[in-house]
Amino acid sequence: MRNLDQRVLYIIPSFIVFLMALMVTFRHPWPVGWDIFYHIHLAKVYMLKGMTFFDPVYNAPQGNIINYPPVFHMTLLLLAYLFRINMFDVARLVQPFLACLVALSTTVVASRFYEDKITGLAAGLILFSGAIAMRLVSPLPENLALIFLPLSIYFYYDFFKGDKLLSSFISGVLMGLVALIHPAATFCLGFAITFITAGITITELYFKRDVSIIKKALKGYLVLIMSAGLIAALWWVPAFYFKSTGGPGGVSTSLQTSRNLSIMKYPDLLGYTVIILSLIGLIPSLKRSGLRDRFILLWVISMFILSKAYYLGINVITYRVLIYIMIPMSILAAHGLRYTAEMIKIKNKNIAGFLMIAVLVFAVFQGFNNLSGTEVVDYGAMSSHGRIKIAPPTPSEVELAEWFSHQDKRGTVSMSNYFAAGFIMAYTNRPMNPLLYESPEIPQRNELVKNGIVFLVFDKRLKVNGNFTFDTSSNFLFYNPSRVDISQLEYSYLEKVYENSDFVVYRVV
């Protein structure tokens, strides 16, 4: 009976997180975030073309390489087929399940690291106390990968703990699965594993003067990398092959730009609860400096270094790396809370229990607070003319998508708003070309014909004042309303065929 009660502790955080994410799902009619529209589009590409490395719809007529492995997109397809619902609703359906499974994974790993289910429960609840956790509600390949990432690191720890090559193999299998889901998660996991391997080897040599650790670490690391590589090769080998041929397929292996974030903003995103409790957890961890303590600390440090990799010339989106820091920091914070309660328990057991409950209730309150506001679904993109809202879709975007759904399927569309184009592409599966938002002026007819463009779509919301008629910035084409009336363009080869409150469509004639 006691074992059953302890197992229930695993379920509590994931159940609470499930309710949080379910609240978001019921409140909003569209999946959370903008990225999911691109992934829905890719799922449709796989549905129509089968297993392919080339996307003929995006950047038509040249097409575009597919930058993501197919596991997440195949999952969307399978669920859409099983439940007989569209992929937008499938994406909404998986939101609470992805979030609660990430919480469950963190709970299990924390309890196994510290051999204490209370610590695991605390870690699962603290994980969603930071504002960055809002991203965990989005139905993304990254969040699917985050279910397996902590487990991979735990099994690698289990290898060092008991010298079990099977654990290293399992860690590698999980890493290979991550590699078939999300490239950035794979890189973060690989970097963390490599950094931890080096850190454990160096500290073992320093503390124990045991040179056999070098052989042990290399053996475990090679087993992990080989098992991960064999599984990852199912998709990555053909992807790299197509890339090497110079053909219209393959995979992009790096970010084009970096998106930096000041370290002063980390506390607001990670949450002061996590940071304070992590600092408390750091005290006993440094005192003991045991294997698990070094593992957790090296995990946190590796992700912090990665978040600042742009100093080394490596392009990185710092905001997204913070979620990878949040997981080990939540585990360390849970340990800090447990340690504090144990210290107080020596003096007064009741106060210790009250502190644990109060902090965890506060963490849950923070989680609900983070997910109850409109910020959780309010996504925007920065440009030289300020922030532009990109998700959720507006009624006028839906109207535009519906209009295109009833038009002749032939012909490519070019829009002045890249993000609105992404939604229209996912909704209608119409070919899109970037010419309009990449050109600081209306393209000539010969350019349009050359690219097979039949429709030009202007976003009337992108109006700004300045010493220009048109201005491109961050995948938007802005216009100056004092110089041009976007609803009444006078070009002999453009015929206005549709207009709503936010968009105007011209047909190339």
Side-chain angles (χ1 to χ4, degrees):
M1 188 69 176
R2 184 178 177 181
N3 288 336
L4 179 62
D5 291 340
Q6 289 184 334
R7 289 194 191 100
V8 170
L9 294 178
Y10 282 148
I11 307 301
I12 292 174
S14 54
F15 178 70
I16 292 174
V17 168
F18 182 85
L19 293 179
M20 291 181 188
L22 197 63
M23 172 187 70
V24 175
T25 301
F26 283 146
R27 280 187 173 184
H28 305 284
W30 293 99
V32 175
W34 178 87
D35 296 29
I36 183 58
F37 300 134
Y38 178 68
H39 294 296
I40 288 173
H41 156 67
L42 287 183
K44 290 184 176 181
V45 170
Y46 287 125
M47 180 174 65
L48 295 173
K49 300 293 182 180
M51 187 56 64
T52 181
F53 300 93
F54 176 61
D55 177 0
V57 179
Y58 181 79
N59 194 35
Q62 292 85 4
N64 200 62
I65 57 177
I66 292 178
N67 295 324
Y68 286 91
V71 168
F72 179 80
H73 311 95
M74 293 302 180
T75 302
L76 290 181
L77 280 176
L78 178 62
L79 292 174
Y81 175 77
L82 289 176
F83 293 104
R84 297 295 193 272
I85 56 178
N86 68 66
M87 276 185 272
F88 293 97
D89 287 333
V90 168
R92 291 179 67 230
L93 175 69
V94 302
Q95 285 173 175
F97 290 98
L98 287 178
C100 80
L101 288 173
V102 173
L104 179 61
S105 176
T106 304
T107 299
V108 170
V109 167
S111 65
R112 292 297 180 90
F113 260 115
Y114 290 102
E115 299 174 355
D116 176 44
K117 289 182 173 61
I118 299 296
T119 301
L121 180 146
L125 294 176
I126 291 171
L127 175 64
F128 278 77
S129 64
I132 189 67
M134 289 191 292
R135 186 169 172 80
L136 289 174
V137 182
S138 296
L140 298 173
E142 185 174 36
N143 291 339
L144 179 61
L146 284 174
I147 298 169
F148 305 103
L149 187 147
L151 294 170
S152 178
I153 290 182
Y154 168 74
F155 277 104
Y156 196 51
Y157 160 74
D158 196 51
F159 157 73
F160 276 99
K161 180 183 175 184
D163 198 13
K164 302 179 224 175
L165 279 179
L166 178 60
S167 293
S168 183
F169 172 77
I170 294 173
S171 177
V173 169
L174 291 167
M175 185 177 181
L177 182 56
V178 170
L180 293 178
I181 299 172
H182 193 258
T186 309
F187 181 77
C188 289
L189 177 56
F191 184 82
I193 289 288
T194 303
F195 189 85
I196 289 169
T197 303
I200 294 297
T201 303
I202 293 168
T203 53
E204 285 288 298
L205 286 172
Y206 179 79
F207 288 122
K208 298 182 179 179
R209 301 291 193 272
D210 182 9
V211 294
S212 65
I213 186 62
I214 299 175
K215 181 180 178 181
K216 178 181 177 180
L218 284 175
K219 181 174 62 176
Y221 186 74
L222 287 174
V223 168
L224 183 151
I225 294 300
M226 289 175 65
S227 55
L230 285 172
I231 294 173
L234 293 172
W235 187 81
W236 286 91
V237 166
F240 279 121
Y241 169 75
F242 281 108
K243 184 179 178 65
S244 68
T245 63
V251 62
S252 177
T253 54
S254 63
L255 291 171
Q256 301 301 311
T257 59
S258 246
R259 297 182 196 171
N260 308 345
L261 186 70
S262 168
I263 195 172
M264 301 304 293
K265 294 183 179 179
Y266 283 25
D268 291 334
L269 293 170
L270 296 172
Y272 289 93
T273 301
V274 172
I275 290 175
I276 292 170
L277 291 175
S278 294
L279 291 174
I280 295 172
L282 193 61
I283 297 170
S285 296
L286 291 175
K287 283 182 179 178
R288 289 190 307 261
S289 293
L291 179 64
R292 69 183 177 191
D293 302 304
R294 284 176 281 150
F295 238 84
I296 296 293
L297 292 178
L298 288 167
W299 186 2
V300 173
I301 293 168
S302 68
M303 293 298 96
F304 179 80
I305 291 172
L306 194 58
S307 75
K308 295 298 179 184
Y310 52 84
Y311 286 128
L312 304 175
I314 301 172
N315 289 334
V316 64
I317 302 175
T318 301
Y319 175 81
R320 294 190 176 183
V321 177
L322 290 188
I323 197 64
Y324 296 90
I325 300 177
M326 189 69 178
I327 292 175
M329 282 191 69
S330 297
I331 296 172
L332 184 60
H335 175 55
L337 177 60
R338 185 69 161 149
Y339 170 76
T340 303
E342 289 298 318
M343 291 296 101
I344 295 174
K345 190 176 180 180
I346 297 173
K347 300 287 186 180
N348 191 308
K349 185 177 180 180
N350 292 330
I351 293 178
F354 175 78
L355 175 68
M356 282 286 295
I357 294 172
V359 171
L360 294 181
V361 168
F362 181 65
V364 171
F365 172 78
Q366 285 185 306
F368 273 105
N369 186 58
N370 288 333
L371 299 179
S372 62
T374 57
E375 296 86 357
V376 69
V377 294
D378 182 18
Y379 278 65
M382 293 304 299
S383 74
S384 59
H385 299 291
R387 182 181 185 271
I388 307 298
K389 186 175 179 178
I390 61 173
T394 62
S396 59
E397 286 178 84
V398 179
E399 289 170 12
L400 177 64
E402 280 292 328
W403 182 82
F404 270 120
S405 296
H406 294 91
Q407 302 306 304
D408 191 315
K409 299 296 181 183
R410 292 173 296 178
T412 298
V413 178
S414 190
M415 298 183 64
S416 65
N417 183 331
Y418 163 81
F419 297 96
F423 170 71
I424 302 300
M425 184 171 60
Y427 197 99
T428 66
N429 206 37
R430 270 192 170 273
M432 289 285 169
N433 184 283
L435 183 63
L436 191 55
Y437 62 74
E438 290 181 350
S439 304
E441 56 186 16
I442 304 297
Q444 296 297 315
R445 187 179 186 282
N446 62 334
E447 290 182 274
L448 299 172
V449 173
K450 178 183 176 183
N451 286 282
I453 297 172
V454 174
F455 295 102
L456 291 182
V457 182
F458 294 87
D459 189 334
K460 296 191 289 184
R461 298 168 297 180
L462 302 179
K463 54 184 177 182
V464 290
N465 294 315
N467 189 27
F468 55 81
T469 303
F470 292 100
D471 183 46
T472 57
S473 174
S474 304
N475 294 327
F476 297 104
L477 176 66
F478 294 90
Y479 69 97
N480 186 342
S482 65
R483 294 192 179 187
V484 62
D485 183 355
I486 209 72
S487 294
Q488 299 295 331
L489 292 179
E490 297 180 358
Y491 290 81
S492 60
Y493 54 89
L494 297 181
E495 175 191 4
K496 187 167 76 169
V497 290
Y498 176 79
E499 185 172 11
N500 64 25
S501 59
D502 291 333
F503 296 94
V504 56
V505 181
Y506 291 88
R507 185 192 298 274
V508 180
V509 295

